[in-house]
Amino acid sequence: MVVLFKMFAKSHMKKKYPIEGFTVEWKRNDSNEIHFDIARCLYRNMCEKYCCHELCTVFCQSDITAFSGYEPKIRFERAGTLGEGADCCDFHFIHGSH
């Protein structure tokens, strides 16, 4: 895994996605993959509160655009998002050579 990306992943998540608005469950953080799930999301909660569900899907889809810039060194994969009806937003950052 690209060393700097791995080093700063947890601290970035803690700073930008605080426990007041997000529940982040770390699954894996090693040289091959960083994987975490977001089980509670401030964006989803606010979109539901203000009845703008379509905006939540835009937030979710923006991850794919944002993280595609890491390829080919880091590949981003996801099975689903809270905004699209999944149980969580799963984030998988996989070392590009695997």
Side-chain angles (χ1 to χ4, degrees):
M1 174 88 30
V2 177
V3 176
L4 288 176
F5 187 84
K6 184 181 178 310
M7 282 177 37
F8 293 108
K10 278 193 174 185
S11 63
H12 174 78
M13 290 301 297
K14 189 173 185 176
K15 182 177 179 181
K16 299 292 183 180
Y17 299 90
I19 60 172
E20 294 83 10
F22 299 88
T23 301
V24 178
E25 300 170 359
W26 286 90
K27 305 291 185 174
R28 186 172 172 182
N29 187 7
D30 59 36
S31 62
N32 293 321
E33 181 180 350
I34 295 172
H35 172 193
F36 58 89
D37 292 344
I38 294 183
R40 182 176 55 92
C41 173
L42 175 68
Y43 301 122
R44 177 179 178 234
N45 294 346
M46 296 307 288
C47 288
E48 284 183 355
K49 179 178 180 178
Y50 293 105
C51 299
C52 54
H53 303 282
E54 67 282 355
L55 186 56
C56 190
T57 59
V58 171
F59 289 135
C60 297
Q61 292 169 354
S62 72
D63 291 339
I64 295 167
T65 302
F67 300 133
S68 67
Y70 295 139
E71 290 186 16
K73 293 182 180 183
I74 300 170
R75 189 175 73 247
F76 175 66
E77 294 181 359
R78 138 174 305 158
T81 67
L82 292 165
E84 298 166 335
D87 292 334
C88 68
C89 297
D90 61 324
F91 290 78
H92 297 260
F93 298 94
I94 303 163
H95 191 280
S97 65
H98 293 92

